Each structure stands twice: as C-alpha cells, then as structure tokens.
Amino acid sequence: MGLKIVMLGAPGAGKGTQAIRMAQEMGIPHISTGDIFRKNLREGTDLGKEVQKYLDSGALVPDQLTCDIVADRLVEEDCANGYILDGFPRSVPQAEMLTRFLKERGEAIDAAINIDVPDEEIVGRLSARRSDPETGAVYNLIFNPPPAEIAEKLIQREDDKPETVQTRLKTYHETTAPIIGFYEKLGVLKNIPGSNASPDEIYKRIMIILG
Ligand code: AMP
C-alpha cells in the first residue's frame, strides 16, 4: 500500500515542485486542487465559472465545493496505491472532512509534510515564479531558473502578482496554517525547513524524513 501524503506550506513554499517529483518517483498521482480549478477555468466549465471570482482575488473556494471535488478524485482507480495532495486541505474544516472521508474507508493520511519558509522569502519567490503554459512546469527565475530556450514562452500566474500575493498570505496565516497543529495532533506532521535551499536539497530532506 502506497503512502497518502498531504503537502503543507505557504503559497510559493515549494509544495508543488516537491509534490510533482515525489509523485513521479513514487509512481502515485499528484493531486493539486489549484491545478484542477485552473484547468476548469481554462476550459470554461461550470465549475470554472463558479470558482473564477475566488481565484482572481486570491480567496479560498468554499470548503464544501472543494471537498466534493477532492472526494470525487480520491475514489478514482489510480488513487488506490496512495497519492500526494498539494494545496488541499487548506482549512481546518477541509482537514476534518478529509479525515472523516478517509476514516469511513478505514484509511488515514500517513504524512503531512510542512515546508516551512518565512513570509519575507515567500513574497520574493512568488514574484519570481513562472510557468510553462504548455507543460505546466513551474520555474523560479532565482531558485530554479528555466532553460534559456523556453524562457520566452513562460507566463506569470495572475494571482502571483503583488496585490493578490498579500491576500493569499493573509489567508494562509488565518485559515490554512492552523492545520499544521491539526496534523501534529494526529501524529503525522513532518516539518521541513524550506528556506535558502535548492529544490534538490529540499527533496533530499523529504526523502530522509519519510524514511
Ligand atoms: P494554488 O495553486 O494551490 O495556489 O491554488 C490557487 C487558488 O485556487 C487558491 O488561491 C484558491 O483560490 C484556490 N484553491 C486551491 N486549493 C484550494 C483549497 N484547498 N481550498 C480552497 N481554495 C483552493
């Protein structure tokens, strides 16, 4: 049975980068609620239309709607051997709903990996974050520079612009950070210092802590 892992940390802490690599190497799916919402926005689905105002302003999508989407995803066949949740849960009610959902199936989260990066560093990281609209690959102009030949086609996420970053950080501290304590109480919290270290170095730290 594979691991069920939750990635925690502020926006821009490096959760996505690590989650993608971990999922690849462990052969389990990477489930990012932000990616699911952005895909629906791009494709103009009903869900996309419903969540647009939240994503544009950097606010959280309502808990019940988010949890329903995750629940639908977790019952898919490829999740049977574990998965990496990235960007979910993002509030204590979401963490409670996830715990209940798993408990009903006799399951539980095995590890909650919290990548800890101070706010001052987060603001700099988000403004330097760029992504490849074709592959979805994420780079950072300072910490994880893209290959020169693709640099031109990279785009900045709308919600990585400075006005929205402040809102997202505030939401993170008020609503999301309390779930660190939630997973600590469950005995599965793993803290990873994420400051001033390359993605490779952070990945090594995660592998060591997962044993
Ligand atoms: P992310 O790519 O994880 O930074 O998510 C981008 C945006 O999607 C967030 O700013 C929220 O508006 C929304 N979102 C992603 N995950 C969640 C979640 N678990 N709960 C509520 N909103 C979410």
Side-chain angles (χ1 to χ4, degrees):
M1 189 71 168
L3 292 177
K4 296 182 183 63
I5 297 174
V6 161
M7 301 300 286
L8 305 179
K15 298 188 296 291
T17 304
Q18 298 301 333
I20 289 168
R21 182 160 172 194
M22 289 161 66
Q24 253 169 14
E25 298 199 11
M26 295 176 180
I28 54 179
H30 162 231
I31 301 171
S32 153
T33 38
D35 284 353
I36 295 173
F37 290 141
R38 277 186 294 276
K39 181 165 186 277
N40 278 275
L41 266 184
R42 276 198 307 277
E43 293 174 355
T45 65
D46 287 346
L47 173 65
K49 287 181 192 128
E50 203 172 342
V51 300
Q52 176 149 29
K53 60 177 182 291
Y54 303 107
L55 270 83
D56 283 352
S57 63
L60 292 184
V61 173
D63 287 335
Q64 191 63 54
L65 177 58
T66 307
C67 289
D68 287 348
I69 282 154
V70 173
D72 282 349
R73 179 68 187 90
L74 295 186
V75 295
E76 284 181 35
E77 222 169 283
D78 64 336
C79 291
N81 290 319
Y83 40 78
I84 318 255
L85 284 169
D86 165 19
F88 179 91
R90 232 177 173 110
S91 67
V92 171
Q94 289 184 14
E96 286 168 348
M97 276 191 252
L98 174 64
T99 308
R100 247 190 337 266
F101 172 89
L102 293 172
K103 204 168 173 188
E104 282 162 9
R105 288 160 181 75
E107 299 173 353
I109 290 297
D110 298 295
I113 296 176
N114 179 40
I115 307 182
D116 193 16
V117 176
D119 278 9
E120 309 81 78
E121 209 177 309
I122 290 292
V123 176
R125 284 187 185 212
L126 290 178
S127 56
R129 179 156 79 175
R130 296 290 183 277
S131 58
D132 184 332
E134 283 159 29
T135 64
V138 180
Y139 300 95
N140 185 292
L141 300 178
I142 303 160
F143 306 104
N144 182 23
E149 60 276 16
I150 64 159
E152 247 179 36
K153 68 169 176 176
L154 300 184
I155 54 167
Q156 182 175 36
R157 267 171 57 170
E158 221 22 72
D159 60 354
D160 278 347
K161 307 217 161 130
E163 318 78 79
T164 323
V165 165
Q166 291 304 336
T167 313
R168 290 167 67 210
L169 265 179
K170 189 163 174 273
T171 305
Y172 171 73
H173 285 294
E174 288 175 1
T175 312
T176 307
I179 65 180
I180 297 172
F182 180 92
Y183 283 109
E184 190 169 24
K185 278 200 204 114
L186 289 181
V188 293
L189 181 70
K190 317 276 180 199
N191 270 311
I192 308 278
S195 185
N196 290 318
S198 68
D200 274 353
E201 175 57 31
I202 308 267
Y203 184 75
K204 276 186 209 140
R205 291 178 191 170
I206 294 175
M207 287 302 113
I208 289 169
I209 224 157
L210 285 179

